[in-house]
Amino acid sequence: VLFTDTQDFTSISEQLSPADLLTWLNRGMGLLVQEITSHGGIINKFTGDGLLAVFGAPISQGKAVDARHAIEAALAIAHQLKQLNLELNAEQAPPMRVRIGIHTGPVIAGSMGSSTRLEYTVMGDTVNCASRLESLARVPSDQVCRTLLSRQTLQQCPHDDLIWRSVGRLQVKGRQQQVDVLELNGVQGEAAFRTGNAPADAPARSSDPEPQG
C-alpha cells in the first residue's frame, strides 16, 4: 500500500488562484498516476492533494514483486518530480514536494457503501500504517520526495541496489505496535534507473547493509 501527500499545500493555496492551483496540482497528480500505474499499481482513491495506491490487489504478482513495484514507483516519482520542478521554476511557479509512505501486509479489498453507491476500497492495519508513515512529522527531509517505508516492505523484495537509512522503531499515531521505519534515498546506478513501462524485475546488487530483524 502506498500513500502520497503534497507538502505545504495549504501555504501554496494562498499563493495561487484556485484555477492556477488546480492546474499546478494536476500536473503533479498526472505524474504520480503515470508512474504508479506503469509500475503495476492501481489508484484506489484521491485524497484531496494526495492519493492511495495499491500494489497486488485485486491480483497479486507475488509479495516480492508487489513490494518492489511500490518501491520503484516511489523512486520514479522522485526522479520525475525533479524534472517537473525545473519546469515550474522556469515558470516562476511554486515547486512541488511529496511525502510517500509504503507498508506491506494483508488487506481486505472489496466494495463498501450502500445499495445506491458503492466504492472499491482496501482496509486494514496495513493501510493505516502506510498512511501514518506518509504523515510522520518526526522525520524531516529536504528531499523533493520523502519516502518512508517499513522494514517489512524492504525485506519482502530484492533490495541490494537500494539506498536507504534506518530511522528507527517509531510509534505511529493510533497504533500500539511500533514500526521499524526506513527512509528510501535512491537506487545505485542511475543508468539502470527506469520510469514508465520498463520491466521491474532486474536483479539487484549493492554494498548496503542487509536489514536485520
Side-chain angles (χ1 to χ4, degrees):
V1 176
L2 182 152
F3 267 93
T4 79
D5 189 66
T6 305
Q7 289 187 234
D8 304 318
F9 183 73
T10 301
S11 62
I12 291 172
S13 299
E14 292 183 304
Q15 303 174 38
L16 302 175
S17 70
D20 288 342
L21 180 66
L22 181 61
T23 299
W24 178 87
L25 183 61
N26 279 340
R27 289 173 73 176
M29 284 296 182
L31 180 158
L32 267 62
V33 170
Q34 174 185 329
E35 294 304 337
I36 288 168
T37 56
S38 68
H39 286 80
I42 64 167
I43 308 300
N44 179 251
K45 66 183 66 175
F46 291 98
T47 58
D49 58 327
L51 59 80
L52 162 60
V54 183
F55 295 78
I59 300 174
S60 173
Q61 298 183 54
K63 292 180 180 179
V65 174
D66 295 338
R68 179 71 191 201
H69 282 182
I71 291 172
E72 290 193 347
L75 290 168
I77 288 168
H79 178 79
Q80 297 287 47
L81 275 175
K82 292 177 183 177
Q83 302 303 312
L84 174 61
N85 281 337
L86 290 176
E87 298 174 14
L88 293 172
N89 182 64
E91 300 165 12
Q92 298 184 325
M96 178 169 287
R97 299 177 64 198
V98 170
R99 292 189 305 264
I100 293 177
I102 305 173
H103 185 52
T104 300
V107 300
I108 182 71
S111 297
M112 182 185 72
S114 69
S115 59
T116 57
R117 176 165 177 160
L118 292 173
E119 179 182 80
Y120 179 80
T121 191
V122 290
M123 292 185 291
D125 177 62
T126 300
V127 179
N128 298 336
C129 187
S131 175
R132 296 309 187 192
L133 287 173
E134 173 274 305
S135 62
L136 202 58
R138 284 172 284 173
V139 187
S141 174
D142 58 0
Q143 294 190 64
V144 69
C145 180
R146 188 205 71 176
T147 299
L148 298 182
L149 65 154
S150 61
R151 190 178 292 268
Q152 181 176 332
T153 297
L154 193 73
Q155 291 178 326
Q156 289 284 350
C157 64
H159 55 261
D160 287 350
D161 60 336
L162 300 177
I163 302 169
W164 53 272
R165 73 177 182 93
S166 175
V167 176
R169 296 188 66 85
L170 301 180
Q171 194 80 43
V172 296
K173 185 178 179 181
R175 200 170 188 267
Q176 292 185 351
Q177 187 175 4
Q178 290 185 327
V179 182
D180 199 349
V181 182
L182 309 174
E183 181 179 18
L184 183 65
N185 291 324
V187 62
Q188 293 193 12
E190 286 298 318
F193 183 79
R194 73 183 192 96
T195 60
N197 295 305
D201 307 310
R205 294 189 300 272
S206 173
S207 59
D208 288 336
E210 181 74 14
Q212 301 296 319

